[in-house]
Structure formats: structure tokens, C-alpha cells
Amino acid sequence: MSWMSGVTCRVREWQAERARWKADMERFKTEQRAARKSGGRMPENPGPPPTGFALLPWLLMGMGAFSNIFQGKTPNPWIGGVGLLAFNSLYIYVTFRAFVKEKRESRSTRVALAVMGLLTCGLAIGYGGSWLYFFPLLGLATGAVLRGPWLGQIGLGVTALAAVVSFFRAGWDAVNVAYGTFLSTMVTAAILSLSEAVRELRAAREELARRAVEKERLRFSRDLHDLLGHTLSVIVVKSEAARRLAHRDLDAALVQVTDIESVGRQALTEIREAVTGYREGSLATELDRARSALSAAGVEPLVRQSGTPLVPQTEALLGWVVREAVTNVVRHSGATRCDITVDGTPERVSLTVTDNGPGASIPDPASIPDPASAPAPAFTAAGSAPPSGPAPAPAPGTGGTGLKGLTERLATAGGSLSAGPTAGGGFRVRAELPVDSGDLAEATDLRRTPAPLEPERAEWHV
């Protein structure tokens, strides 16, 4: 019963493989017709499925032995018939397992191949004639199973065995048998190894293409969020300020409305720059925008900057930290004061953003949805209104996914980022970077820096 179940399972696997091959062939023909019409690159032919059925036709080499048994030319035909059945069964067993690496390298396959070799020698010595052509079939099975560094030595051993037995039974005709055995062993191993390598390379290329698409999708989602999230947050803050001022100070409200217009125009400009792949950040500009955003939110800004001039890549990375930290202060902290300090030495530069808010400067990481299961918040969270009350206190560390993404960027450039509550209340974000590093360009390149979708990361502009 188990033998029949195994055969049924094997047939079902072959049918499923054949169905997949037919689907691949239909897709190949469709792409081929489209390529011919458009004059584009021709697609690759997927080829037949790698199964043991490709090696079954070689069993016809044993038809001579079967014919001798059927015509009564073989002494002890029952022994010959049982031997022929056993040889064919072992051949089918070995060749079908040769197309799965785990099964091919298993002990049962090697034992079956060894038994097949002993059976071949016994039948060839006992009957000779057309039974000698079982040696090329043995070589074919050997080449299908053994594709490692021992193939050459084992192949020569099988060839020598075929030559000795054939010379004993057929004289100098042993040359043909030995040549056929050696050729079937080496050619089979070469063809199957090459086809397996092609399949692995094709699968690797498809996986690389899939990862490239996924990487670009994450990059686009992250960059779009970085460009619009903070901007929309500032627009919401300034819109609320304009609404509060409209009934008592129209001129001040108009100033806020003008700022909203400039923020929108700046966002459009930077989206165009991001689409073309060219976008640079200026730390001085980001600090000015931070002052404006904090003032509009009712937070007193205090900005101090000292040290040597920085390279553009370093300024761009520190600009990302300023955007993220200040936006979290505006949205989550409930602070009345925010200190931003930039201190540089000839080797390293540090940026510290500290607030005195009773709440947290970052959201509770447990409240952030998983971007893999719910990617939509990556585009909507930054555009929602700031929470009316303080956020729950986070655990020490980098907290929200925005700061986690910045940690990855700074780590790529040889820097570090730390964030957490201060001893006297409030929250502090501190970033350190080398003044000049070869990895800075890669860390600041929006087109080449993949990161997970970050619901709390975005970019604001005033």
C-alpha cells in the first residue's frame, strides 16, 4: 500500500510540475509574440521541467535483453526476467531522485546505485551480449547522481569495470561498451549540472528582481512620507494657529496663511526634486524651519551652533534628525521650550534636541501599526492633527520607527543616535557623526537607502 501511495504521490508531483511548465510556456509564447511586435528583447525559454522522465527513454537500450528473454534465447529466463525488472526498478528509483539535491545525496540513493552496479555486473557476466549495454545505463545513472568532485574518479572506475567485464564476455567489443559507459557518465553529469546551474541562476535573478522592486517600493514609500509627512504636520499646526487668530488678529492669521502657501509650494518643489533623484539638505535651512515650526506650535526655540563647517552629506543627515526630533516635539511632547544644539570638532559633530514637555517626544512603539500588515498609515499618520494630550511615556531607547530609521542611516555613515527621557523631565535626542566619511553619500542618498515604512517619519517645511 505504501509503495502505491509513493507512486501516486510521484505522479501527482509530475503532473503539478508539468502544469507549471505549461503555464510558463504559455507566458513565454505570449512574451515572445509581444517582443517580436515591439522589437524588444526576446524572453528566455523556460525549458522542460527537471524530472526523471527525461531519462526514461534511455531504458530502450535494454530492449535487446528483453527481446532475448521473450524469444527464449536467454538461459534461465525467469532469473533474467527478475534481473531485468530489478535493474529497471533501480534505474527509475535512482534517476527520479537525482533531480532533488537532498534525495540525490541521501544514503538510500547511493546504496541503490551500488546495488544497481552489482546487478549490472552479475547480468553482464551471466548473459553477455545485449546485456552488456546495461553498463551505459549504469553510467547514466551514476552521472545523474554523482555531480561532485568524486565524479571523475568514480566515472573512470565504472568505465574500467565495464571494460573488464565486457572484455571477459565479448573480447575487443569491450571498447565500445567502455566508451559508451564513460560518455554517458560524463555527458549526463555535465548536462544536468549545467541545467541545474541555469535554473539556480534564473531563480536568483528573479529573486534579485523581486527584491529590487520591493526595495524601490519601500524607498518610494519612505521618501514620499519623509517629504510630505512633516510638511502636512506643519500645515495642520499653522492652520490651527490661523483659525485661532482669525477672529482677533486678522493680520497675524494672514501671516500664517502665507506660511501655509509657502510650505505647500516648497513641498511641490521638493517632490519634483525627489522624483528626479536630486535632493540636498542644508542644516541652516532646517534649523530656520525648526524655529518657525516650534514658534507656530507655541514652543520657545533655542538654537545654538558651533564648530567647523560641515560637508553637505553630514548636514543632510543632521537635517533629517532635526526634522524628526522637532516634529515629534510639536506633535507629541506638549513642551513649552526646545533646545537645539550643534557642536562640532574637526573629527566629529553632535546634534542634541531637548524639550521640557511632560509627555513623550515620540509615540509609544506598541501603538505604531506594523508597516508590513498595514502600510496605509505610513501616508496618513503624518497628515493627521496633533494629539491634544501628552503621548504615553516610551521605554528608553530610540522608540518610534522614525528614530529607528534615522539610527540605521547614521550607523551606515559611522555615526550613532540615542533618544530617551531626561532626568529632570522632558526628552532628548542626540546624534553623532564623523565630519567626513566615505559612507555619508550612501546614507543620505534617498534613492539607495532602503528602510522599512516608517509611520512617524516624514519631512516638514516652513
Side-chain angles (χ1 to χ4, degrees):
M1 189 65 180
S2 60
W3 180 80
M4 289 298 298
S5 300
V7 172
T8 303
C9 182
R10 189 71 57 86
V11 172
R12 289 177 179 175
E13 292 178 358
W14 174 73
Q15 290 176 345
E17 193 72 28
R18 183 172 177 81
R20 285 193 293 268
W21 174 66
K22 287 184 177 180
D24 292 341
M25 286 300 298
E26 290 295 331
R27 184 169 61 253
F28 164 72
K29 292 178 180 179
T30 302
E31 294 176 355
Q32 189 180 46
R33 288 192 292 267
R36 287 175 178 173
K37 292 180 180 179
S38 61
R41 182 178 179 181
M42 298 297 292
E44 293 184 4
N45 192 321
T51 63
F53 285 95
L55 301 179
L56 286 186
W58 293 101
L59 283 176
L60 294 176
M61 294 179 65
M63 287 299 295
F66 177 78
S67 177
N68 289 339
I69 295 175
F70 185 76
Q71 295 177 6
K73 298 180 180 180
T74 301
N76 300 319
W78 289 106
I79 297 178
V82 172
L84 181 62
L85 178 62
F87 180 88
N88 290 340
S89 300
L90 289 171
Y91 178 87
I92 294 173
Y93 177 81
V94 169
T95 53
F96 269 86
R97 294 174 67 88
F99 289 87
V100 181
K101 185 176 181 180
E102 293 76 11
K103 295 181 179 180
R104 182 172 68 239
E105 297 177 352
S106 65
R107 179 178 298 179
S108 60
T109 304
R110 305 296 173 88
V111 170
L113 184 62
V115 173
M116 183 179 172
L118 294 176
L119 182 60
T120 302
C121 292
L123 293 175
I125 294 174
Y127 293 106
S130 58
W131 295 82
L132 296 175
Y133 291 105
F134 284 178
F135 276 109
L137 291 176
L138 175 63
L140 191 148
T142 302
V145 173
L146 303 176
R147 308 181 196 174
W150 295 96
L151 174 64
Q153 299 179 17
I154 296 177
L156 290 176
V158 173
T159 302
L161 180 63
V164 172
V165 174
S166 300
F167 184 79
F168 173 75
R169 292 293 304 187
W172 290 105
D173 287 342
V175 175
N176 296 330
V177 176
Y179 176 74
T181 302
F182 179 78
L183 196 63
S184 62
T185 302
M186 296 305 173
V187 171
T188 301
I191 292 177
L192 294 184
S193 298
L194 181 60
S195 62
E196 186 176 23
V198 170
R199 288 194 301 270
E200 291 177 353
L201 289 174
R202 184 178 298 171
R205 184 177 61 184
E206 293 176 355
E207 178 65 17
L208 290 175
R210 186 192 65 80
R211 290 187 180 184
V213 172
E214 181 70 12
K215 178 180 177 180
E216 184 65 13
R217 184 186 70 82
L218 293 177
R219 195 276 310 172
F220 179 78
S221 301
R222 192 273 319 273
D223 291 348
L224 183 62
H225 186 271
D226 287 345
L227 288 171
L228 293 181
H230 293 270
T231 302
L232 296 176
S233 297
V234 174
I235 289 176
V236 170
V237 171
K238 287 187 170 291
S239 298
E240 290 181 346
R243 176 175 54 80
R244 291 194 302 266
L245 295 172
H247 64 282
R248 54 188 175 87
D249 191 346
L250 185 59
D251 292 337
L254 290 176
V255 171
Q256 298 295 330
V257 172
T258 303
D259 288 344
I260 293 173
E261 180 183 1
S262 64
V263 168
R265 293 183 182 278
Q266 183 66 24
L268 289 175
T269 301
E270 294 199 349
I271 287 177
R272 296 189 185 100
E273 293 176 353
V275 169
T276 56
Y278 298 98
R279 182 169 172 271
E280 295 181 356
S282 170
L283 181 59
T285 302
E286 298 302 333
L287 292 175
D288 292 339
R289 294 171 178 173
R291 292 190 186 94
S292 178
L294 292 169
S295 300
V299 181
E300 178 186 357
L302 179 59
V303 179
R304 295 185 291 269
Q305 185 174 6
S306 62
T308 59
L310 305 175
V311 297
Q313 292 86 352
T314 303
E315 289 198 1
L317 280 175
L318 294 180
W320 284 110
V321 179
V322 171
R323 297 180 200 118
E324 176 64 29
V326 171
T327 299
N328 285 332
V329 171
V330 171
R331 299 181 60 195
H332 304 292
S333 69
T336 60
R337 177 187 175 91
C338 180
D339 296 340
I340 304 176
T341 304
V342 181
D343 187 14
T345 65
E347 291 79 20
R348 296 184 72 83
V349 60
S350 64
L351 167 68
T352 305
V353 180
T354 308
D355 67 77
N356 64 346
S361 292
I362 57 175
D364 186 356
S367 65
I368 300 176
D370 184 5
S373 59
F379 299 95
T380 59
S384 58
S388 57
T398 57
T401 55
L403 294 180
K404 289 180 180 178
L406 288 176
T407 303
E408 296 175 359
R409 288 191 176 189
L410 268 64
T412 303
S416 62
L417 180 73
S418 60
T422 60
F427 199 85
R428 176 185 293 116
V429 176
R430 179 177 177 82
E432 291 190 0
L433 273 173
V435 172
D436 189 10
S437 172
D439 295 332
L440 288 174
E442 180 178 357
T444 55
D445 190 350
L446 291 179
R447 296 170 294 172
R448 297 190 300 168
T449 310
L453 297 180
E454 299 165 355
E456 294 301 327
R457 294 192 61 213
E459 180 178 357
W460 51 266
H461 302 284
V462 178

